[in-house]
Amino acid sequence: MIMSEQINQVFSFLKRREPGIIGESEAQQSAVAVPIVHEDEQPSILLQIRSQALKDQPGDISFPGGKMEDDDLTSVETAARELCEETGIKRFNAAHISALDKWMTPYGMIIYPHVFSVTETSFTPNEEVEELFTVPLNTLMKQTPETYHISSSADIPEDFPFEKIEGGKNYQFRRTVFPEVFYEYEGKHIWGLTARILQHFLRMVERSSLEVKGGK
């Protein structure tokens, strides 16, 4: 039995802790860099085409990023490490600006996106990268991405204990519906997780512009 003193200790603990995401510790955790490169005084976003030799998502367009390693103390370190490894950018030429919203994806992953300001424009991609390219921020801001909605339903195992739930085998499990967003630039198609993070960043850019206008 939990006594009054014990529950007060629980309350005190809960007040001190920072809330996270249920399932966060079990999920695969990755971090990505959203690099902003300054070209001719115009900001551009640096993206990469993944090598065709890779097992996962060969040829897809992505931000630099990857799984958080045991040696990475924070998601910022992961994003910075992956940015430098995959593009050849020197760490002192990539200033961390801010974290974006972390995202628990429908695929059991948590992604921590971070914005970096990059002062280097000479890139030497590693073997994971087929090509690096930049897209002017203004170009993306003027674009309305194509959006399609994908649904998925529960894949119920044969030994699932239907007798323990109301409705049994007739129980109506929820269907998951999530958007797939597509941006396009010079024949290159940006979609998937990368497009969703890009869309989130562009919305932050738009909100910041509205704040500036509202303050005038």
Side-chain angles (χ1 to χ4, degrees):
M1 180 181 294
I2 296 180
M3 307 299 290
S4 295
E5 183 178 347
Q6 289 177 298
I7 198 64
N8 286 335
Q9 290 175 353
V10 172
F11 290 165
S12 178
F13 168 77
L14 292 174
K15 287 180 179 180
R16 295 193 307 271
R17 73 182 292 271
E18 289 292 330
I21 300 174
I22 294 175
E24 185 173 2
S25 59
E26 294 84 16
Q28 176 185 310
Q29 300 190 34
S30 300
V32 300
V34 180
I36 308 301
V37 180
H38 303 276
E39 300 177 313
D40 300 324
E41 299 184 355
Q42 294 294 324
S44 296
I45 295 182
L46 177 64
L47 291 156
Q48 60 191 33
I49 299 177
R50 293 168 58 83
S51 169
Q52 292 289 347
L54 293 176
K55 180 180 178 181
D56 296 325
Q57 291 86 48
D60 277 2
I61 292 172
S62 70
F63 290 115
K67 295 180 182 178
M68 294 181 65
E69 305 290 348
D70 293 338
D71 293 339
D72 296 332
L73 298 178
T74 66
S75 59
V76 178
E77 288 192 8
T78 303
R81 174 176 55 76
E82 294 285 348
L83 172 63
C84 295
E85 289 177 357
E86 295 180 2
T87 68
I89 293 171
K90 298 177 180 61
R91 181 64 183 88
F92 56 80
N93 285 330
H96 180 249
I97 301 301
S98 175
L100 296 174
D101 292 351
K102 58 185 176 181
W103 182 23
M104 190 161 189
T105 75
Y107 313 107
M109 297 185 294
I110 294 183
I111 300 179
Y112 301 85
H114 292 272
V115 177
F116 288 81
S117 177
V118 176
T119 58
E120 187 171 346
T121 56
S122 177
F123 310 120
T124 53
N126 68 4
E127 68 282 355
E128 298 179 22
V129 180
E130 183 175 306
E131 179 186 343
L132 291 165
F133 67 97
T134 57
V135 185
L137 185 56
N138 284 337
T139 299
L140 290 168
M141 292 296 297
K142 295 175 183 176
Q143 187 173 153
T144 300
E146 296 180 14
T147 303
Y148 303 87
H149 291 87
I150 296 178
S151 64
S152 64
S153 56
D155 185 8
I156 311 299
E158 292 183 1
D159 60 349
F160 186 81
F162 284 104
E163 69 278 4
K164 297 182 179 180
I165 63 175
E166 186 68 27
K169 292 186 177 181
N170 294 320
Y171 185 85
Q172 297 297 309
F173 287 90
R174 293 174 184 245
R175 293 179 63 85
T176 301
V177 178
F178 55 93
E180 278 290 1
V181 177
F182 287 79
Y183 288 89
E184 189 272 337
Y185 179 69
E186 295 185 347
K188 297 180 173 70
H189 299 283
I190 306 163
W191 71 289
L193 303 180
T194 301
R196 292 292 304 280
I197 294 170
L198 175 60
Q199 183 181 52
H200 170 54
F201 172 69
L202 295 176
R203 285 172 175 169
M204 295 301 102
V205 174
E206 185 176 10
R207 284 177 60 182
S208 69
S209 298
L210 291 174
E211 283 189 4
V212 170
K213 291 179 181 178
K216 289 183 178 179

